[in-house]
C-alpha cells in the first residue's frame, strides 16, 4: 500500500518505519523541516530501541527507499491511506486538547479536495470517544467538499506503544484494533495490517470508531488504576510492616490478576497514563457520569510522592540539608520526564527548604527545564557525597549496584520509591511499600 503518516513523534515515526518494514511505501509528513531532514538522511529523530536501524534501512541513502519524509501535505495525493498521528495534549482542566488534530484534519481535508479517487483516513492519535465521528469526519467533509462513505472512508486504529519499546510493541502486538465506520475503510485497514497480523499471529478486533477510541482509554486507565490499586494495598502493607512485593508475588499467581503492573512504589508518570486518565475522566463528567474509581486512582497516584517524603521526614529534618534525588525519568530506559514522579518529589523537598542535588543517567537536560536552579550531579556517587538523605524515584538498574557510595553520605538515610536499592548494614533504609 501507499501510506501517508501525518506526525513524526514517537508514534508517527515508529509506525512509519514499521509500515515500511512490512513492505508498504510510506511518506511521513511533519511541519518540522529538521525532523523531515533527519528521516531523509536515514536517521531516527527520536530515541526508540530498534528505530534507527529501521529508518536507516528504509529511508537512508542506501536504503530500500520505502520510507521518506516531507513537510508537504500534497504527498497525501500519491497515497491510498493517511494515518493521523498528531499530539492530543491535556488542557489545564485535564480535558483533551484537539486543536492540533483539528488543524491536521483541516489541512488533510483541503488536500483531499484535490484527490479524485477514494482515500481512507485513519485516526491513530488517542482521542476521546466520538471524536472521529463527530469532530474529525465533519472537518474532512467540510474542507474536501465531499461526503464520508462516498469519496473517502474513515477508520480509527489506536496504538498501544510503550516509550522505550515502541518498535517491539508495534511488531509484536497483543491485539490489532480496527475501528471503521464503513466497509471500504475496514478493507483498506486490513490491506495495511494483514502482513503484521499474519507475521505476529495477532488477534484482530473489528469494531466501530467510537468503540476503538474507548478501547484505548480503557486499556490505559485500567493499567494506571491497577498500579494505583497495588499502591493502595502497598500503603496498607507498609502500615502493617508487611512487604507489598511478597504479597504481590503471591497474588500474581492468580491468573486473573497476572504478574505485570504490580510493582508498587512512587507511582505512574509519562506522557500517556496521566493525560489519558484525566481525559477520559473529563469526558465522562461531560456525560454527567462521575468516574469515582478512576478519580481515586489519580488521587492515590498524586499521594505517593508525598508518602515518600513523609518517610524521609521521619528520619531527617531536611531543611538546609543536602538531599540526593536518584532518578528523574518517568521510568527507566527513557530521558522523558513528562509527569515524572521526581517532579513532585523535588518540589516537596524544595518546599521543605532542602538543598537538592539530582542525578539521572540520561534525563538531566529535560529535568533542568523544570528546575534550572538545583544542582545536578554527573553520577549517583557524586549526588550521594555529603548528602544528609537520599530518595530513589526511578528504577534504573545502576542504582541496584550502589553500595559503598552510601558510605560517602553525611547521614546514610535512603528512602526507596522503586524497590531497586539493596538494603545493607550501616544504611537506614525505608521502602515506600515494603
Ligand atoms: C503506557 C502504556 O503501557 C502503553 O500501552 C500506552 O500506549 C502508553 O502509555 P508508557 O507510558 O510508555 O506506556 O510507560 P509504562 O511502561 O506503561 O509505565 C507507565 C508508568 O507506570 C511509569 O511511570 C512506570 O514507572 C509506572 N509503573 C509501571 C509502575 O509504577 N508500576 C508498574 O508495575 C509498572
Amino acid at each position: 500500500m501507499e501510506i501517508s503518516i501525518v506526525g513524526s513523534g514517537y508514534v508517527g515515526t515508529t509506525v512509519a518505519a514499521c509500515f515500511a518494514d512490512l513492505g508498504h511505501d510510506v511518506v511521513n509528513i511533519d511541519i518540522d523541516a529538521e525532523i523531515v531532514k533527519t528521516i531523509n538522511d536515514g536517521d531516527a529523530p527520536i530515541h526508540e530501541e530498534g528505530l534507527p536501524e529501521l529508518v536507516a534501512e528504509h529511508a537512508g541513502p542506501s536504503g530500500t527507499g520505502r520510507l521518506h519524509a516531507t513537510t508537504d501535505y500534497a504527498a497525501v495525493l500519491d497515497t491510498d491511506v493517511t494515518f493521523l498521528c498528531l499530539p492530543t495534549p491535556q488542557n489545564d482542566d485535564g480535558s483533551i486538547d484537539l486543536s492540533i488534530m483539528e488543524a491536521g484534519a483541516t489541512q488533510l481535508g483541503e488536500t483531499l479536495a484535490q484527490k479524485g479517487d477514494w482515500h481512507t483516513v485513519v485516526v491513530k492519535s488517542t482521542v476521546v470517544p466520538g471524536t472521529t465521528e463527530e469532530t474529525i469526519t465533519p472537518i474532512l467533509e467540510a474542507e474536501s467538499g465531499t461526503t464520508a462513505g462516498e469519496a473517502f472512508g474513515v477508520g480509527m486504529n489506536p496504538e498501544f506503544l510503550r516509550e522505550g519499546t515502541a518498535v517491539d510493541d508495534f511488531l509484536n502486538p497483543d491485539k490489532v484494533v480496527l475501528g471503521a465506520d464503513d466497509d471500504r475503510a475496514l478493507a483498506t485497514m486490513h490491506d495495511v495490517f494483514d502482513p503484521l497480523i499474519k507475521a505476529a499471529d495477532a488477534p484482530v478486533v473489528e469494531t466501530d470508531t467510537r468503540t476503538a477510541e474507548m478501547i484505548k482509554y480503557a486499556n490505559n486507565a485500567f493499567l494506571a488504576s491497577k498500579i494505583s490499586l497495588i499502591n493502595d494495598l502497598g500503603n496498607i502493607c507498609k502500615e502493617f510492616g508487611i512487604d507489598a512485593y511478597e504479597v504481590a508475588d503471591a497474588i500474581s499467581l492468580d491468573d486473573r490478576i497476572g504478574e505485570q503492573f504490580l510493582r508498587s512504589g512512587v507511582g505512574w508518570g509519562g506522557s500517556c497514563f496521566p493525560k489519558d486518565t484525566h481525559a477520559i475522566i473529563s469526558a465522562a463528567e461531560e456525560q454527567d457520569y462521575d468516574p469515582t474509581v478512576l478519580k481515586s486512582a489519580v488521587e492515590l497516584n498524586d499521594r505517593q510522592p508525598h508518602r515518600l517524603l513523609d518517610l524521609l521526614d521521619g528520619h531527617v529534618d531536611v531543611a538546609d540539608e543536602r538531599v540526593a534525588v536518584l532518578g528523574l525519568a518517568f521510568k527507566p530506559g527513557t530521558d522523558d520526564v513528562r509527569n515524572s514522579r521526581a517532579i513532585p518529589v523535588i518540589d516537596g523537598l524544595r518546599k521543605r527548604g532542602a538543598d537538592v542535588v539530582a542525578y539521572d543517567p540520561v534525563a538531566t537536560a529535560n529535568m533542568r527545564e523544570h528546575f534550572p536552579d538545583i544542582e545536578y550531579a554527573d553520577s549517583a556517587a557524586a549526588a550521594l557525597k555529603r548528602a544528609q538523605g537520599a530518595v530513589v524515584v526511578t528504577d534504573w538498574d545502576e542504582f541496584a549496584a550502589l553500595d559503598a557510595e552510601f558510605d560517602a553520605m553525611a547521614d546514610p538515610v535512603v528512602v526507596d520509591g522503586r524497590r531497586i536499592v539493596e538494603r545493607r548494614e550501616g544504611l537506614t533504609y525505608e521502602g515506600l511499600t515494603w
Side-chain angles (χ1 to χ4, degrees):
M1 295 285 285
E2 304 290 330
I3 302 173
S4 42
I5 310 264
V6 174
S8 301
Y10 94 92
V11 175
T13 313
T14 299
V15 171
C18 290
F19 277 160
D21 206 46
L22 290 172
H24 297 301
D25 288 317
V26 185
V27 57
N28 204 179
I29 299 168
D30 200 282
I31 55 170
D32 185 328
E34 269 305 299
I35 289 179
V36 166
K37 182 179 180 313
T38 301
I39 293 171
N40 290 333
D41 288 346
D43 299 324
I46 49 149
H47 173 75
E48 271 297 337
E49 186 72 28
L51 189 60
E53 294 80 354
L54 288 180
V55 176
E57 184 182 346
H58 299 298
S62 55
T64 63
R66 287 208 291 269
L67 172 63
H68 73 281
T70 179
T71 57
D72 185 359
Y73 265 79
V76 161
L77 299 172
D78 300 327
T79 67
D80 311 301
V81 51
T82 301
F83 284 77
L84 286 171
C85 296
L86 292 166
T88 53
Q90 196 177 324
N91 287 318
D92 291 345
D93 66 359
S95 62
I96 191 170
D97 172 0
L98 287 171
S99 59
I100 300 171
M101 273 295 279
E102 288 165 346
T106 300
Q107 275 200 272
L108 179 56
E110 286 166 356
T111 309
L112 290 181
Q114 305 157 46
K115 188 163 195 241
D117 57 352
W118 178 269
H119 196 83
T120 300
V121 177
V122 180
V123 172
K124 196 153 185 69
S125 304
T126 303
V127 292
V128 293
T131 300
T132 300
E133 196 179 340
E134 296 161 13
T135 303
I136 304 301
T137 300
I139 290 173
L140 293 170
E141 290 181 319
E143 298 303 332
S144 66
T146 61
T147 307
E150 291 172 16
F152 65 90
V154 181
M156 201 277 153
N157 163 240
E159 52 82 15
F160 301 94
L161 308 180
R162 288 167 296 176
E163 281 193 42
T165 56
V167 171
D168 189 54
D169 290 342
F170 183 97
L171 295 174
N172 301 286
D174 56 25
K175 57 184 174 295
V176 175
V177 177
L178 305 178
D181 293 334
D182 63 83
D183 291 344
R184 285 187 70 172
L186 182 60
T188 300
M189 292 165 87
H190 267 293
D191 291 342
V192 171
F193 281 99
D194 281 354
L196 173 64
I197 291 163
K198 189 160 174 285
D201 191 23
V204 182
V205 175
E206 293 182 359
T207 185
D208 57 73
T209 58
R210 177 181 293 259
T211 305
E213 289 159 342
M214 186 60 202
I215 289 168
K216 168 66 180 179
Y217 279 99
N219 214 101
N220 270 6
F222 193 98
L223 290 173
S225 303
K226 183 178 181 183
I227 294 167
S228 283
L229 176 56
I230 198 65
N231 279 343
D232 211 8
L233 294 168
N235 293 341
I236 295 170
C237 287
K238 184 68 179 179
E239 297 304 322
F240 281 95
I242 294 165
D243 181 349
Y245 277 64
E246 199 174 332
V247 173
D249 287 347
I251 65 173
S252 72
L253 298 172
D254 183 329
D255 59 16
R256 294 168 300 176
I257 296 173
E259 57 189 20
Q260 297 204 52
F261 279 57
L262 286 183
R263 292 183 60 80
S264 55
V266 71
W268 38 271
S271 64
C272 294
F273 279 179
K275 166 176 71 68
D276 294 351
T277 310
H278 280 101
I280 199 64
I281 286 169
S282 180
E285 288 172 336
E286 277 175 27
Q287 304 295 320
D288 293 329
Y289 174 73
D290 180 15
T292 46
V293 172
L294 294 186
K295 285 161 71 175
S296 302
V298 170
E299 188 274 326
L300 192 120
N301 195 54
D302 291 342
R303 188 188 302 182
Q304 294 305 93
H306 301 291
R307 286 184 64 87
L308 189 82
L309 294 176
D310 290 347
L311 285 172
L312 183 64
D313 290 342
H315 294 280
V316 185
D317 175 358
V318 297
D320 301 320
E321 300 292 357
R322 179 180 170 85
V323 177
V325 175
L326 301 185
L328 302 175
F330 84 90
K331 69 173 184 178
T334 179
D335 64 356
D336 194 344
V337 299
R338 284 177 289 181
N339 300 296
S340 168
R341 302 292 81 201
I343 292 171
V345 167
I346 292 171
D347 196 45
L349 287 169
R350 285 158 60 93
K351 285 196 171 81
R352 288 166 169 78
D355 174 19
V356 176
V357 51
Y359 167 71
D360 186 282
V362 296
T364 295
N366 289 331
M367 189 57 85
R368 207 185 286 275
E369 290 171 28
H370 291 268
F371 300 105
D373 54 359
I374 65 170
E375 183 187 341
Y376 291 93
D378 294 334
S379 68
L384 291 167
K385 207 167 188 143
R386 295 181 290 97
Q388 281 297 112
V391 291
V392 183
V393 188
T394 313
D395 37 332
W396 287 104
D397 287 345
E398 67 176 76
F399 297 157
L402 292 176
D403 188 345
E405 293 82 354
F406 294 119
D407 297 334
M409 293 176 74
D411 184 0
V413 174
V414 176
V415 181
D416 187 352
R418 293 290 188 193
R419 195 183 180 99
I420 189 75
V421 168
E422 288 295 315
R423 293 173 196 265
R424 62 192 278 280
E425 279 304 305
L427 187 59
T428 303
Y429 175 95
E430 283 270 18
L432 185 55
T433 58
W434 51 90

